[in-house]
Amino acid sequence: MKNTFYTTILVLMLVGPFAMAQDQILTKQEAINMVLENNLGIQVAKNTQLIDENNAGILNSGYLPTLNGVAGGTIDKQNSEGVLANGDTRTAEGAETRRYNASLSLNYTLFDGLGRYYDYKSFKERSQQSELEVRQTIETTILQLFSVYYEAARLTEQTNTLEQALDISKDRLTRAKYQFEFGQNTGLDVLNAEVDINTDSINLLNSRQLLRNTMRDLNLILNQDLSAQFVADTTVNFVPGLQMENMQLEAKENNVRMQIVEKAINISDYNFKASKSGYLPTIGLTGTYGWNESTNNSPLAFALQNTSYGVTGAVNLSWNLFDGGRTITTVKNAKISYENQELAKKQIELEVERDIRNAWDSYTNALYVLEVQEKNLQTNMNNFNRTDERYKLGQVTSIEFRQAQLNLLNAVLAKSQAKYNAKIAELQMLQISGQLLNVEF
């Protein structure tokens, strides 16, 4: 053979990320930047955050006064008749009366039982909770991104490996034909080689199809044209120095679900306190500046034109001593909601502890499997080298050579799968511990 499978696989492992230099390589950091900028789910979450930020502003707090302007005008036309003191009678036909008015009213609540104070606090907590929800969406999307990204990288390695396997099978067919022509073997070896080429070709076609489908899935997450072409970076680097105890501590402090439920508890507490404002009075301040003018052209009118303007102010107190029990019911329900959030926190704490333990076990198990697969790959490489040398000398059959080739092929693919499984397990653990956005990929 002109090339051994061992050599081609070794070259693939060393230069695989650069084997398709003619195509654009989408680096991991570029993929992150693209998904943060373009992913539709993240954009929706950010818009929701903007809404909550607006709600938490001073303009929605109830602390600012309200100012109302009112203006109006009327025109009356009527016939009238009047008797004077001396007995004379006077009539006015089509007498017109015009009235105009305008006013500005200022209303300000001085005290509302602290309801708006706790509502404002609740809006602030909701804004911060919304920010955490954006982070949760980003973490989930990035984990989804790399699940697809690393699958594309694995399929890229698999496709390259199958291409090399097909080349080996073609070279083996050529040798089998030469040997048959010179009477060194039977036609059975040629037929076996042709069958193996067909099998390798089908496997390669299926792998290429899976790779194309996965690339479309990746473009969908990145919100790119589904036909965009690029190559995934097959380099995998693991985060060093991870320890179970540290992961548990990080999860308790930084897990986004834990932080979101903390905000939910604070919101429920403020809602409970705000609901009790119905027991207290409301004190308000009102001020009005008004202008009125009336014009009457009737000869019977006492004054033909009257104009008045001025300022009035008042302080009012309103106290709903009993509202049919609605406030009592609202307070009770708000207290129950607060207790439910406390129970939800305990549930999430247990789930997070379970999740981090499961993730750690999956991560360490995946690393062990990767180590075993690397050793298995080395063993199969050595076995194939010996079989390849003996096959050249005619000491093993083509069937034995093919079996050694398949063993090495399966070992390469298993090692590649184990590598990406371990990386995904690591990312899942980092997400649960709240560290996913703090590491380099």
Side-chain angles (χ1 to χ4, degrees), residues 90-220:
R90 292 185 180 182
T91 61
E93 296 183 357
E96 184 179 86
T97 303
R98 297 173 179 261
R99 298 182 181 87
Y100 304 99
N101 63 84
S103 65
L104 288 176
S105 299
L106 180 71
N107 295 275
Y108 184 70
T109 301
L110 298 175
F111 179 75
D112 67 344
L114 298 178
R116 64 182 174 182
Y117 171 78
Y118 290 117
D119 286 340
Y120 185 61
K121 289 281 190 179
S122 178
F123 286 139
K124 286 293 185 181
E125 289 292 324
R126 174 55 196 155
S127 177
Q128 296 173 12
Q129 185 185 52
S130 181
E131 184 177 351
L132 291 172
E133 290 172 351
V134 171
R135 174 190 152 193
Q136 185 180 40
T137 302
I138 291 175
E139 288 183 355
T140 302
T141 304
I142 287 180
L143 186 60
Q144 181 186 15
L145 165 68
F146 279 106
S147 296
V148 180
Y149 183 93
Y150 283 129
E151 177 63 11
R154 186 192 70 81
L155 289 171
T156 298
E157 288 187 350
Q158 174 178 289
T159 301
N160 292 340
T161 302
L162 292 175
E163 287 175 352
Q164 299 294 338
L166 180 60
D167 290 339
I168 294 299
S169 295
K170 289 179 179 179
D171 190 50
R172 174 182 150 215
L173 176 61
T174 301
R175 170 172 292 192
K177 288 181 178 179
Y178 285 148
Q179 291 175 341
F180 178 72
E181 291 175 359
F182 289 101
Q184 297 178 359
N185 63 23
T186 65
L188 183 60
D189 288 339
V190 176
L191 294 176
N192 287 336
E194 290 177 346
V195 170
D196 292 338
I197 285 179
N198 292 334
T199 301
D200 292 344
S201 298
I202 293 173
N203 291 337
L204 178 58
L205 288 175
N206 290 335
S207 181
R208 286 174 176 171
Q209 180 61 48
L210 289 174
L211 179 57
R212 288 194 295 269
N213 292 345
T214 303
M215 286 298 182
R216 294 187 189 100
D217 292 339
L218 188 55
N219 282 325
L220 181 63

Side-chain angles (χ1 to χ4, degrees), residues 17 79 88 172 191 211 231 245 255 263 268 299 326 337 344 385 402 413 418 421 427 430:
N79 299 326
D88 294 339
R172 174 182 150 215
L191 294 176
L211 179 57
V231 178
E245 293 77 9
N255 180 272
K263 294 299 179 181
S268 294
R326 285 190 295 270
S337 296
N385 278 338
R402 176 63 175 178
L413 298 180
N421 286 346
L427 295 181
L430 291 172

Side-chain angles (χ1 to χ4, degrees), residues 24-45:
Q24 180 182 0
I25 296 179
L26 179 67
T27 66
K28 303 175 185 67
Q29 189 58 50
E30 289 173 344
I32 293 175
N33 294 338
M34 291 173 65
V35 79
L36 291 177
E37 181 178 357
N38 302 323
N39 182 266
L40 298 179
I42 293 178
Q43 292 181 26
V44 170

Side-chain angles (χ1 to χ4, degrees), residues 238-247 360 363 367 426 429:
F238 293 96
V239 179
L242 296 180
Q243 296 181 353
M244 177 61 178
E245 293 77 9
N246 292 339
M247 290 296 99
W360 178 261
Y363 170 65
L367 288 180
E426 179 189 74
M429 181 179 61

